[in-house]
Amino acid sequence: MNDVQSIIDRQLGIYSRFNYDNILKRLSVQSEESFYGLQTASSPANFDQDPPIFACRFSEAPGYEHILALANEDGRVAIQDTRTQKTASTLEGFQCHNNAVFDLAWMPQNMKFVTVSGDHTACLWDVAEAAPRRELVFSSHTRSVKTAAFRPTDPRVFATGARDGRVLVWDARCAAAALVLRPDLCLAGCHAVPPRASPRARRPRADPRALSITGLAFRDDLALVSCGECDGNIKVWDMRKNYGVYKREPLPRHSIPYCGSSARNGYTNLIIDDARVRLYASCMDDVIYCFNVSTFGSLPEQRYVGHENSTFYIKTGLSPDGAYLVSGSSDKNAYVWNVKYSQPVVRLSGHRAEVTCAAWCQRGDTKIVTCSDDARHKIWRVGPEAPAGELAGRAELTPRADGGPQWGRDRTPHSLKRARRAEPATPATPATPATPASPASPAARAAPAAKRAGPRRCLAELLGARDADAGAAKRQRLDAPAAAERAGRRRARAPSPAAPPAKRRRSQPERAADAWPPGGPAGPAGGGAALSPRSPAARSPEGEPCGAVKIIAFTTPTKDLPNFVLNGEAPHLRLMSPVRKKPETTDWLTLMVRERRGKASDATDKPSVAAPSSPKENMPVRRNSVTDKMTKSSTKSRTLLKYFSVARKEK
């Protein structure tokens, strides 16, 4: 960002925080501040003597932010005072564990820190006195402990994560009342993947590598954020819930799935800014994701690229104001990003092996510490613009645009953009003899138009130009006999050879016919779709776009189809048309019944369709009993007295 613009923004009240990108390019390492192992600077360099450093953290106690703690693979921890170059030359180391120390975390507001080791334990150390003192040992994990994090408002509570897939929450205040120290909360199988079936075993087995916990961070007193090695999920756990009473896999309060496109979806480190809003997760796909943990959105707000992350020992650090991010890399460099942009600001070069971890001092002058697999750690300070003497490391500007390209901008290829670019003027060439083609030919008319159009920058224009060139060549072959005939007529009407030939004015149909390409309405094909006036082929003989399009011929495949609206009833109008009365049809059995009941006359009065013939139509009816005989019709009126007998009572 421009320094003048920054000052103007601050005067107008729209500037939120300082921007010191120009200061970071002056970071450098003096040869006296490049330390090998956890020994003093006067020790000889021997790469077989000391193992690599796995963890480095600055203190969080008020007034002691310059104190640095480093831990290596042999379980040794050293305390270093980084206020000045003279005080930093002395390292005070002591043995903490009998195995590698993978991580350490400082207790807020105290000169104490917790170390986690490959010996399945975590230890609380007090370095406020003259000699370091071990206070407590926490041993409930069954495999190597990988990470630890303290609760921000309660410094006596912290959480540890191990390769056994469990997250344990400890309270150091319970050590005085308990004989055996046990965790207050246990989360088992937090980042376990679904079990895979074995071809020889009856029961499915789980992948033990998919259970490792690699990062922990407290969002607040009630929310713990964790990440795994292989599942690619970031989960938020509620500290008020007792997950130990459930036998199944615990369900998190929130879950942020992996949002990348790589198979390397494991996370190596988690850090949260002081506002407890932004979560930075370093992923194995060479991207650092920034999530908003106030809303727990699944999409990241920013992605930081430019480094390489090939191992689970690479960790990140955040500046005191939360404006810059520093991380190690597998390409022997460390990178610093402005959190507003996805590309790094500077590259810190000087190590000879993979840079594993980096830390930013939280108070005082800008100081950055980087550790590498070459068993060296370097202290970066802001130096002069033109440093004198030999340097053990310097900051290099990364190739990027001013202001930094942001993730998600328009990345359309430059060749597909519609903008035209002006080309430099070409030197004038000597005049060449005229070609035998006619001046009025389409090829001659298309040449000035192509020069005025300039260079074509998109695929559509290139395709249009190819069609226009093909159409011009075809029209040239078709118009050659007509052009020769017109030229002969002009020569015949000319009074003398010296007089210039009179220019005949072309009619409107001829000009309209030249404006259409082959295959159009006026072309040799005799039919086709009309061209838009903006098309490169829709040009007038003078080279200007046609204002109006005149259709000369029109053909359509539906021209000879019947018109049901005018010629008859349309099939789709049958539901709306009146229903015709169906002719009455009577079967042979009904006619026979009507004849025998004396109703044959009714059937003859009304026209009806003849009933279909039946094979039993002429056969006599057989009757097996007297009851089957049909009663004869009588004219006598039938009443209910038929069923009663009236008898007179004699007196």
Side-chain angles (χ1 to χ4, degrees):
M1 182 182 293
N2 191 1
D3 296 337
V4 177
Q5 185 65 34
S6 301
I7 296 175
I8 295 175
D9 293 342
R10 290 168 57 189
Q11 292 177 351
L12 296 177
I14 59 177
Y15 191 74
S16 59
R17 54 190 175 186
F18 292 95
N19 186 315
Y20 42 93
D21 291 354
N22 296 331
I23 305 298
L24 296 178
K25 66 182 181 181
R26 295 165 53 183
L27 288 172
S28 61
V29 179
Q30 300 295 328
S31 59
E32 294 81 6
E33 291 189 321
S34 178
F35 303 94
Y36 171 73
L38 300 184
Q39 305 294 331
T40 58
S42 60
S43 300
N46 185 7
F47 290 96
D48 296 334
Q49 180 180 355
D50 288 284
I53 299 174
F54 285 165
C56 64
R57 294 286 183 90
F58 279 97
S59 174
E60 299 181 6
Y64 296 93
E65 292 86 356
H66 57 276
I67 300 298
L68 176 67
L70 304 105
N72 63 1
E73 191 178 8
D74 281 349
R76 189 176 180 84
V77 175
I79 305 299
Q80 188 176 16
D81 188 354
T82 62
R83 284 179 296 180
T84 61
Q85 182 178 345
K86 183 178 180 180
T87 58
S89 60
T90 303
L91 288 175
E92 298 178 2
F94 56 95
Q95 193 71 27
C96 288
H97 296 270
N98 296 325
N99 206 323
V101 177
F102 293 107
D103 193 13
L104 62 88
W106 285 89
M107 181 183 294
Q109 310 297 325
N110 290 275
M111 287 298 294
K112 299 179 181 180
F113 59 85
V114 168
T115 58
V116 293
S117 174
D119 58 0
H120 309 172
T121 62
C123 296
L124 179 62
W125 296 86
D126 187 2
V127 293
E129 300 178 359
R133 182 174 57 89
R134 182 169 58 185
E135 291 188 353
L136 295 173
V137 178
F138 308 91
S139 57
S140 292
H141 287 286
T142 58
R143 300 191 67 180
S144 299
V145 189
K146 296 288 294 184
T147 181
F150 274 92
R151 183 179 289 179
T153 58
D154 193 354
R156 304 294 294 182
V157 178
F158 66 96
T160 57
R163 287 182 177 176
D164 57 2
R166 296 193 302 169
V167 176
L168 303 181
V169 180
W170 306 87
D171 191 347
R173 295 170 294 186
C174 300
L179 298 177
V180 179
L181 189 60
R182 294 182 179 181
D184 288 353
L185 184 63
C186 178
L187 298 172
C190 297
H191 294 271
V193 296
R196 55 187 178 90
S198 177
R200 297 183 180 179
R202 296 182 178 180
R203 296 181 180 179
R205 60 178 181 178
D207 189 359
R209 191 165 177 251
L211 301 176
S212 179
I213 306 299
T214 57
L216 292 174
F218 276 92
R219 195 255 174 185
D220 50 27
D221 293 344
L222 303 178
L224 176 64
V225 186
S226 66
C227 64
E229 184 178 0
C230 296
D231 64 338
N233 294 325
I234 298 176
K235 299 182 180 181
V236 183
W237 308 96
D238 192 352
M239 294 291 97
R240 298 169 296 183
K241 188 175 181 180
N242 188 5
Y243 295 93
V245 298
Y246 301 98
K247 296 182 179 180
R248 296 184 179 181
E249 179 182 350
L251 298 179
R253 180 180 177 184
H254 301 283
S255 180
I256 303 176
Y258 175 64
C259 54
S261 58
S262 175
R264 301 162 53 192
N265 56 359
Y267 292 97
T268 62
N269 189 28
L270 293 178
I271 53 175
I272 297 182
D273 60 353
D274 294 338
R276 303 296 167 181
V277 175
R278 301 290 185 271
L279 173 68
Y280 299 92
S282 181
C283 188
M284 291 285 290
D285 60 354
D286 302 337
V287 180
I288 300 177
Y289 297 94
C290 176
F291 296 98
N292 191 335
V293 291
S294 62
T295 59
F296 297 103
S298 59
L299 295 179
E301 293 185 350
Q302 189 64 273
R303 309 179 190 221
Y304 306 99
V305 297
H307 70 298
E308 297 180 8
N309 191 347
S310 301
T311 61
F312 287 94
Y313 299 99
I314 294 178
K315 301 176 182 178
T316 57
L318 199 62
S319 63
D321 54 356
Y324 292 91
L325 189 69
V326 60
S327 174
S329 178
S330 299
D331 58 357
K332 305 178 183 180
N333 300 316
Y335 293 86
V336 180
W337 289 268
N338 189 330
V339 295
K340 295 182 179 179
Y341 311 114
S342 61
Q343 296 293 335
V345 179
V346 293
R347 178 177 59 246
L348 307 180
S349 60
H351 287 283
R352 299 180 181 178
E354 179 185 69
V355 180
T356 54
C357 55
W360 202 306
C361 184
Q362 301 297 313
R363 184 65 60 89
D365 298 336
T366 301
K367 288 191 295 290
I368 300 176
V369 175
T370 58
C371 304
S372 175
D373 282 347
D374 57 2
R376 287 189 176 272
H377 70 278
K378 300 178 183 292
I379 301 178
W380 300 79
R381 304 179 190 268
V382 178
E385 295 184 1
E390 184 180 359
L391 297 178
R394 67 174 63 245
E396 300 175 357
L397 293 177
T398 56
R400 66 183 182 92
D402 293 337
Q406 295 184 4
W407 188 273
R409 286 190 176 181
D410 184 13
R411 298 191 177 189
T412 305
H414 194 271
S415 59
L416 299 180
K417 292 185 178 180
R418 303 285 179 173
R420 299 292 181 88
R421 292 184 178 180
E423 290 188 351
T426 57
T429 57
T432 57
T435 58
S438 174
S441 63
R445 292 192 301 268
K451 290 182 179 180
R452 288 193 301 269
R456 299 178 176 89
R457 296 293 182 183
C458 64
L459 182 61
E461 294 182 359
L462 293 176
L463 294 177
R466 184 185 64 181
D467 297 340
D469 296 341
K474 192 171 184 179
R475 285 195 302 271
Q476 182 178 2
R477 293 194 301 268
L478 296 176
D479 296 344
E485 184 180 356
R486 289 194 296 270
R489 292 177 183 176
R490 287 197 295 269
R491 286 194 299 270
R493 289 196 299 268
S496 61
K503 185 176 180 180
R504 185 177 67 87
R505 183 176 180 83
R506 296 171 60 86
S507 62
Q508 179 66 23
E510 294 178 354
R511 292 195 298 269
D514 291 340
W516 292 100
L531 291 179
S532 172
R534 293 186 179 182
S535 177
R539 299 279 179 176
S540 63
E542 291 76 15
E544 300 295 335
C546 298
V549 178
K550 182 179 180 181
I551 299 177
I552 300 176
F554 178 77
T555 58
T556 174
T558 61
K559 182 178 180 181
D560 299 330
L561 293 179
N563 192 343
F564 290 99
V565 178
L566 299 179
N567 302 336
E569 181 183 0
H572 63 280
L573 297 177
R574 290 178 180 176
L575 297 177
M576 295 182 293
S577 60
V579 181
R580 296 179 181 179
K581 188 176 181 180
K582 296 182 179 180
E584 183 180 0
T585 57
T586 308
D587 56 347
W588 60 273
L589 185 59
T590 305
L591 292 176
M592 183 183 299
V593 172
R594 288 180 180 179
E595 290 178 358
R596 296 194 177 188
R597 289 185 180 182
K599 297 182 180 180
S601 59
D602 299 338
T604 56
D605 296 341
K606 299 180 181 180
S608 61
V609 181
S613 60
S614 175
K616 299 182 179 181
E617 185 176 0
N618 300 324
M619 295 178 62
V621 181
R622 299 179 61 182
R623 304 186 185 277
N624 298 328
S625 62
V626 182
T627 58
D628 293 337
K629 296 182 179 180
M630 300 181 64
T631 59
K632 297 182 179 179
S633 61
S634 60
T635 57
K636 297 180 181 180
S637 61
R638 297 179 180 180
T639 60
L640 295 177
L641 297 176
K642 174 183 177 181
Y643 303 99
F644 299 93
S645 60
V646 181
R648 293 183 180 181
K649 186 177 181 180
E650 296 180 358
K651 296 181 180 179

